[in-house]
Amino acid sequence: FFIGLYVLVGAGALMTTVGFFGCCGAARESQCLLGAFFACLLVIFAAEVTAGVFAFIGKKVAIQEAQKIYEDTYDDYMKNPGGKVNRTIYHYHLALQCCGKDNMEQQMGLPCPENIQMPKASNCLVEIQNVIDANLHLLGIVGIAIAGITIFGMIFSMILCCAIRNTRDVI
């Protein structure tokens, strides 16, 4: 859990640094800072493309990992039904609109939401796969949008860098 938090903090620090290069480069009309901004955006763009390729190639692994997390939580609940896992498994069931991982007889003691439809309630492992399959294209759309914004940033930084060079050549 904390690894994801550290990744987000690191990404925020990286974006702050990149924004600093771009902002200071534009304000001071510095070709060096604008070049550093372009280079950082190029590295970020390459990382985005790589992450996107791995996301679509590793879709099955992501589904298996999500299912394993559910199974571990399910097994922890079965060992200790009154513990903290009770709320966790209930939130899984509520979010996925399912209950349990196998047949209905095994799910009698599970904390399941009351408003779920019974045919869908039979298997959360199948629901996890369905949710990831249905929503992976949204991740791709967001990735493409961010990559497009990154490309525009690279284009505009190079245009600004060239404009600065041309005005200095005139003087």
Side-chain angles (χ1 to χ4, degrees):
F1 174 72
F2 290 115
I3 293 173
L5 184 63
Y6 293 140
V7 168
L8 289 176
V9 169
L14 176 69
M15 294 310 293
T16 301
T17 305
V18 171
F20 175 78
F21 286 147
C23 186
C24 288
R28 294 186 173 260
E29 295 183 357
S30 169
Q31 287 181 308
C32 180
L33 286 175
L34 286 171
F37 178 69
F38 177 83
C40 289
L41 286 181
L42 187 62
V43 168
I44 290 170
F45 178 73
E48 289 171 354
V49 170
T50 304
V53 167
F54 281 129
F56 283 103
I57 289 175
K59 180 172 86 168
K60 289 182 182 179
V61 174
I63 290 171
Q64 290 170 351
E65 286 297 317
Q67 289 173 336
K68 183 181 181 317
I69 290 170
Y70 176 78
E71 287 178 335
D72 290 345
T73 305
Y74 181 89
D75 293 340
D76 288 345
Y77 174 78
M78 287 304 188
K79 290 176 190 170
N80 184 13
K84 289 183 179 180
V85 182
N86 189 4
R87 257 186 46 204
T88 304
I89 201 146
Y90 177 78
H91 286 295
Y92 267 116
H93 294 159
L94 189 62
L96 295 171
Q97 288 294 300
C98 64
C99 189
K101 63 179 189 175
D102 291 325
N103 56 9
M104 291 299 285
E105 294 85 23
Q106 198 175 19
Q107 302 166 20
M108 291 306 169
L110 286 174
C112 298
E114 296 171 3
N115 59 350
I116 61 173
Q117 296 133 358
M118 290 317 271
K120 193 176 179 183
S122 62
N123 196 340
C124 284
L125 298 177
V126 172
E127 256 334 281
I128 289 171
Q129 181 173 354
N130 292 343
V131 166
I132 291 175
D133 284 338
N135 294 321
L136 194 61
H137 71 282
L138 293 175
L139 182 65
I141 290 170
V142 169
I144 290 170
I146 291 172
I149 292 169
T150 305
I151 289 172
F152 278 124
M154 289 189 299
I155 290 170
F156 288 132
S157 70
M158 279 296 105
I159 289 172
L160 186 56
C161 193
C162 291
I164 291 169
R165 186 181 59 216
N166 289 339
T167 57
R168 287 194 180 155
D169 287 344
V170 171
I171 296 175

